[in-house]
């Protein structure tokens, strides 16, 4: 029987929080403290929860300006590589970055 839960993007697993969770789960599996199936279920929950929390709780806005170096569209995902980026936050504070990678995915889940 398949799960009725729609799939979520796994891109937040590459954040520091997601990497730490993955490393911890790997260690628990290696030490035979949890089964791999439980780790998969935990990561699926992580994907769902972080997506929901970011969309519901984060209200901060920013704008940015830079030079577009490269862009790609593959498997319904846009990737932008931008150089010399100036970020302007809500409080008018600005931050400079030499290079930024932006990954943009469809916010609608399959079937919505």
């Amino acid at each position: 029987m398949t799960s009725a839960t729609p799939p979520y993007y796994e891109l937040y697993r590459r954040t520091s929080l997601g990497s730490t969770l993955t490393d911890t789960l790997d260690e628990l599996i290696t030490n035979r403290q949890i089964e791999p199936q439980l780790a998969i279920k935990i990561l699926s929950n992580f994907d769902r929860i972080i997506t929901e929390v970011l969309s519901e709780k984060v209200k901060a806005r920013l704008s940015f300006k830079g030079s577009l170096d490269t862009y790609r569209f593959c498997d319904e995902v846009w990737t932008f590589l931008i150089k010399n980026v100036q970020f302007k936050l809500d409080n008018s504070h600005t931050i400079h970055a030499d290079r930024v990678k932006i990954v943009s995915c469809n916010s609608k889940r399959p079937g919505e």
Side-chain angles (χ1 to χ4, degrees):
M1 181 181 235
T2 60
S3 173
T5 305
Y8 289 84
Y9 291 108
E10 298 177 2
L11 59 98
Y12 295 111
R13 294 182 189 187
R14 299 177 88 187
T15 64
S16 57
L17 183 62
S19 292
T20 302
L21 175 61
T22 302
D23 292 345
T24 302
L25 292 171
D26 286 344
E27 186 176 324
L28 291 170
I29 292 168
T30 301
N31 292 335
R32 299 183 189 272
Q33 293 177 297
I34 65 169
E35 295 293 322
Q37 295 83 355
L38 179 57
I40 291 168
K41 190 177 257 189
I42 291 168
L43 286 171
S44 293
N45 280 335
F46 172 77
D47 297 335
R48 179 179 58 83
I49 295 297
I50 197 157
T51 300
E52 290 173 1
V53 167
L54 288 174
S55 68
E56 294 170 7
K57 304 289 184 189
V58 177
K59 302 299 179 201
R61 293 186 161 272
L62 65 82
S63 60
F64 65 92
K65 185 188 287 190
S67 300
L68 181 62
D69 183 49
T70 308
Y71 65 94
R72 284 181 217 107
F73 182 68
C74 182
D75 296 331
E76 299 296 316
V77 176
W78 280 101
T79 303
F80 301 94
L81 301 175
I82 306 169
K83 291 183 175 179
N84 299 318
V85 184
Q86 290 289 332
F87 291 97
K88 187 172 182 182
L89 307 176
D90 277 343
N91 62 6
S92 297
H93 184 74
T94 59
I95 299 171
H96 177 266
D98 293 331
R99 291 179 293 162
V100 173
K101 180 179 183 179
I102 297 174
V103 179
S104 176
C105 305
N106 190 348
S107 65
K108 298 220 185 262
R109 290 179 254 163
E112 284 190 322

